[in-house]
Amino acid sequence: MNRPTRRPGGRSADVRRRVLDAVVAQLVDHGYDALSIDTVAAGCGVHRTTVYRRWRDVGGLLADVLAEAAADDWRPPDTGTLDGDLAALNREVFAALTGDPPITTALIAASFRSTRAAEALRAFWADRYDRCAVIVARAAGRSEIPAGTDARRLLVAATAPLYHELVLLRAGPDAGLADRTAADTAVAARAGAFAATVVSPDEHHGDDRR
Amino acid sequence: MNRPTRRPGGRSADVRRRVLDAVVAQLVDHGYDALSIDTVAAGCGVHRTTVYRRWRDVGGLLADVLAEAAADDWRPPDTGTLDGDLAALNREVFAALTGDPPITTALIAASFRSTRAAEALRAFWADRYDRCAVIVARAAGRSEIPAGTDARRLLVAATAPLYHELVLLRAGPDAGLADRTAADTAVAARAGAFAATVVSPDEHHGDDRR
DNA sequence: ACTCTAACGCAACATGTGTAGCGTTAGAGG
DNA sequence: CCTCTAACGCTACACATGTTGCGTTAGAGT
């Protein structure tokens, strides 16, 4: 993600730590609107030009923060039922999207200004959805849903309404939203929705970007 | 939406027309990134200061454009079946989100920079979803789906995956996406998802924010 | 036709954002 | 310990963005 540091020793690493910490601190304390290269640099004693050179813009900073956040050991919830798993997952998404300070929303906003932030966020979500595929596999293993159910399609159906309502439609946070959407999706899956169209036994996620 | 013009006559109206036309022209010709107060003003012979005073920022300009666009006579498709209506609707959404120039995406991006654009977009979508409620009503009238199906919830379920995949996840435009999502949603609705829950006013699960 | 003033045009200013040149410093490699 | 240079700090600049004060103009009201 970040430019390969040819000299990763003490100083450069220290600068990176201080800058990224300052980004999060700034985000938490003063919100996204107050986030700029200058405020971050001033907030951690690193010079403006250094930050500009290494991260280029605010999107670059958030992309780096996101790249760090993506390398965690998060695993999807395992409650024993599809309904339970989706509901628990959706509650996490809901919490992230309505949390204060709105870090997730800030990252989404940044992704519209910086292609680097956009790519980092895309990669982050791709990884998360891949990890969540086991939820669908487990449900199929328990014969809750038909075999051959398209995991990604089901997971997007379960989570997309949350993003849509909270981020794009900007509806007020409705406490039941996460659970309702999860339940609707589970009903759909049991009724045979999200059936993978037969292409070939070994599915490859061919992702052509325009 | 826009500030009430105390003097709506010839000159002010003419300025507004020229500015809004220039916004669309700029958007079509050079894309969203090239859209700024200065380029718009220069592109239509109106002075910078005038545009700044009346619209404040780019978000204000797009909000005004959007307010005009919302006052049209658009009606949701009527194909005779729920599947057909949702598929036709989703194809429209798909076309809007993948269209070039990416006007819709530009408006969404602007909504993260300007509260006025955000509010205009929210109002626009609220109106569109209201108009689409007849799709659900017709389906219920034909007994395709249970009476008491929550129209908005169904419509969001049908369209949200498109916005999620194309706008947030930035997946490549998949030709079958619109139809598949519409079909999945129709299956869900027939299976009894989106049932409006009769909820007592004081039933809220404490939303857990971390 | 006359008046009054909202809205406009203009110049000058203030600030925010990003870049370029150049000397300095610290850490990687011997 | 010594050298070499990537990365840093600093100054100065270039440009974009947004504001202020003031004179001018056109159209709404009578």
Side-chain angles (χ1 to χ4, degrees):
Chain A
M1 184 62 249
N2 198 21
R3 184 175 81 202
T5 306
R6 302 260 259 286
R7 201 165 274 191
R11 190 163 63 160
S12 290
D14 182 53
V15 164
R16 187 173 121 100
R17 257 284 50 81
R18 286 196 301 175
V19 168
L20 294 190
D21 287 348
V23 169
V24 176
Q26 189 74 19
L27 213 49
V28 168
D29 293 345
H30 306 307
Y32 175 64
D33 292 331
L35 193 69
S36 73
I37 300 277
D38 283 33
T39 56
V40 167
C44 67
V46 174
H47 203 268
R48 284 164 26 85
T49 43
T50 299
V51 183
Y52 272 113
R53 274 195 282 249
R54 283 188 62 174
W55 288 276
R56 188 178 173 87
D57 57 15
V58 178
L61 284 172
L62 293 177
D64 205 2
V65 169
L66 198 48
E68 277 208 326
D72 64 357
D73 58 344
W74 182 87
R75 286 172 180 281
D78 184 1
T79 65
T81 65
L82 179 63
D83 287 80
D85 286 357
L86 292 180
L89 176 64
N90 268 6
R91 288 200 198 102
E92 285 192 39
V93 174
F94 183 90
L97 292 178
T98 57
D100 186 70
I103 295 182
T104 306
T105 311
L107 291 169
I108 294 173
S111 75
F112 285 99
R113 301 201 204 186
S114 159
T115 54
R116 297 172 65 195
E119 174 51 27
L121 193 56
R122 198 201 61 73
F124 177 84
W125 271 326
D127 177 55
R128 286 295 194 257
Y129 278 109
D130 281 347
R131 297 194 202 185
C132 286
V134 291
I135 290 177
V136 181
R138 287 193 302 246
R142 289 186 298 257
S143 299
E144 283 191 77
I145 57 176
T149 298
D150 186 330
R152 174 172 172 115
R153 196 137 53 97
L154 188 156
L155 291 166
V156 168
T159 55
L162 292 183
Y163 289 97
H164 199 52
E165 289 278 13
L166 298 174
V167 179
L168 297 186
L169 301 183
R170 290 178 173 76
D174 174 357
L177 179 62
D179 288 357
R180 271 201 314 273
T181 307
D184 288 340
T185 308
V187 168
R190 281 191 292 269
F194 317 119
T197 52
V198 187
V199 272
S200 83
D202 49 354
E203 51 175 323
H204 73 319
H205 302 287
D207 191 11
D208 57 323
R209 295 208 60 183
R210 56 175 169 190
Chain B
M1 182 67 252
N2 198 21
R3 185 174 82 203
T5 307
R6 305 261 257 288
R7 199 167 275 191
R11 189 164 64 159
S12 291
D14 181 53
V15 164
R16 186 172 121 98
R17 256 284 50 81
R18 285 196 301 175
V19 168
L20 293 191
D21 287 348
V23 169
V24 175
Q26 189 74 18
L27 212 50
V28 168
D29 292 345
H30 306 337
Y32 175 62
D33 292 331
L35 192 69
S36 72
I37 299 278
D38 282 33
T39 56
V40 167
C44 67
V46 173
H47 204 269
R48 286 164 23 85
T49 321
T50 300
V51 183
Y52 273 113
R53 275 197 280 251
R54 282 188 63 174
W55 288 276
R56 186 179 175 85
D57 55 17
V58 177
L61 284 171
L62 292 178
D64 205 2
V65 170
L66 198 46
E68 276 207 328
D72 64 358
D73 59 345
W74 183 86
R75 287 173 180 279
D78 185 1
T79 65
T81 66
L82 178 63
D83 287 80
D85 286 357
L86 292 180
L89 176 63
N90 268 7
R91 288 201 198 102
E92 285 191 37
V93 173
F94 183 89
L97 292 178
T98 57
D100 188 73
I103 295 183
T104 307
T105 311
L107 291 169
I108 294 173
S111 75
F112 285 100
R113 301 201 203 187
S114 158
T115 54
R116 297 171 65 196
E119 173 53 27
L121 193 56
R122 198 202 59 75
F124 176 84
W125 271 327
D127 177 53
R128 285 297 193 257
Y129 278 109
D130 281 348
R131 297 194 202 184
C132 286
V134 292
I135 290 177
V136 181
R138 287 193 302 245
R142 291 186 296 258
S143 299
E144 282 192 77
I145 57 177
T149 298
D150 186 329
R152 174 173 172 114
R153 196 137 52 99
L154 188 156
L155 292 166
V156 168
T159 54
L162 292 182
Y163 288 98
H164 199 51
E165 289 279 13
L166 299 173
V167 179
L168 297 186
L169 302 184
R170 290 175 175 78
D174 173 359
L177 180 62
D179 288 356
R180 271 202 313 275
T181 306
D184 289 339
T185 307
V187 168
R190 281 191 291 269
F194 318 119
T197 54
V198 186
V199 65
S200 56
D202 50 4
E203 186 206 342
H204 33 101
H205 315 71
D207 58 329
D208 48 328
R209 309 183 167 186
R210 53 180 165 191

